[in-house]
């Protein structure tokens, strides 16, 4: 699972695609979740990104 701020949402998506080979699931964080930081910087995370591969189907 990756976390991304508004600014890093695209790089996070790109990294996840590169890593797993397919587009990941991407969700907006809950508005009241203020403690999760972006995986790339210290800003508040706005999106959470999950690679499909790590998800059992
Ligand atoms: Zn960031």
């Amino acid at each position: 699972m990756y976390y991304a701020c508004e600014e890093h949402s695209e790089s996070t998506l790109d990294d996840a695609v590169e890593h797993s080979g397919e587009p990941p699931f991407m969700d907006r964080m809950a508005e009241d979740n203020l403690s999760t930081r972006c995986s790339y910087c210290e800003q508040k995370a706005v999106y959470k990104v999950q690679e499909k591969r790590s998800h059992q189907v």
Side-chain angles (χ1 to χ4, degrees), residues 5-28:
C5 66
E6 201 77 60
E7 184 184 337
H8 285 112
S9 55
E10 281 191 30
S11 10
T12 305
L13 269 180
D14 286 350
D15 278 5
V17 170
E18 200 169 302
H19 192 245
S20 68
E22 54 185 332
F25 294 112
M26 192 172 191
D27 267 331
R28 263 192 113 82

Side-chain angles (χ1 to χ4, degrees), residues 24-57:
F25 294 112
M26 192 172 191
D27 267 331
R28 263 192 113 82
M29 302 286 291
E31 286 295 331
D32 60 351
N33 190 337
L34 302 173
S35 59
T36 307
R37 302 283 162 186
C38 172
S39 301
Y40 293 81
C41 68
E42 294 299 309
Q43 293 189 71
K44 186 168 75 73
V46 179
Y47 300 102
K48 55 183 173 186
V49 176
Q50 184 166 30
E51 291 178 14
K52 283 182 179 173
R53 199 176 54 173
S54 63
H55 221 62
Q56 284 292 355
V57 180

